[in-house]
Amino acid sequence: WYQRRVRGVQKYMYLNKLHINMSKCCYIHFKPKHTNIQQNDHDDSSHQLLLDDFPIKKVCHTKFLGVIIDDQLSWEPHITALRRKLNYASATLYRIRDSLPTCP
């Protein structure tokens, strides 16, 4: 079932003369946070998706259009990355504060 979907994407890309960068290509299996249902039938850990005989890497989180999304659709990885960037920027401004011109 999964591989049939990948072939459909591959056909679409070919017909529209588009190219997939396999070094950036990955997929996420979204799953609910809490579930009481047995997922033995839907366990995708044994599946390997191939595109032109190249395996597509499965990831838990990735950056898409500047937003980090994860398999739980939570904001935690994105907020963590933003916090790290803001801490770095504020520390840099703090270090150079004496070198900045002041307003009269």
Side-chain angles (χ1 to χ4, degrees), residues 65-84:
L65 298 177
V67 177
I68 299 174
I69 56 174
D70 69 351
D71 57 359
Q72 302 282 320
L73 292 177
S74 84
W75 289 102
E76 291 304 319
H78 186 70
I79 291 170
T80 302
L82 285 178
R83 187 177 294 132
R84 194 175 315 127

Side-chain angles (χ1 to χ4, degrees), residues 25-29 56-62 69-71:
C25 189
C26 62
Y27 77 97
I28 297 178
H29 178 212
I56 301 174
K57 181 174 52 172
K58 180 181 178 185
V59 295
C60 295
H61 57 84
T62 189
I69 56 174
D70 69 351
D71 57 359

Side-chain angles (χ1 to χ4, degrees), residues 23-58:
S23 67
K24 295 181 178 183
C25 189
C26 62
Y27 77 97
I28 297 178
H29 178 212
F30 296 105
K31 47 191 172 245
K33 290 182 183 182
H34 304 290
T35 181
N36 295 330
I37 302 170
Q38 291 289 336
Q39 294 187 348
N40 294 340
D41 295 335
H42 302 291
D43 183 25
D44 69 332
S45 60
S46 63
H47 296 304
Q48 183 179 18
L49 298 180
L50 300 172
L51 187 63
D52 283 335
D53 295 327
F54 292 103
I56 301 174
K57 181 174 52 172
K58 180 181 178 185

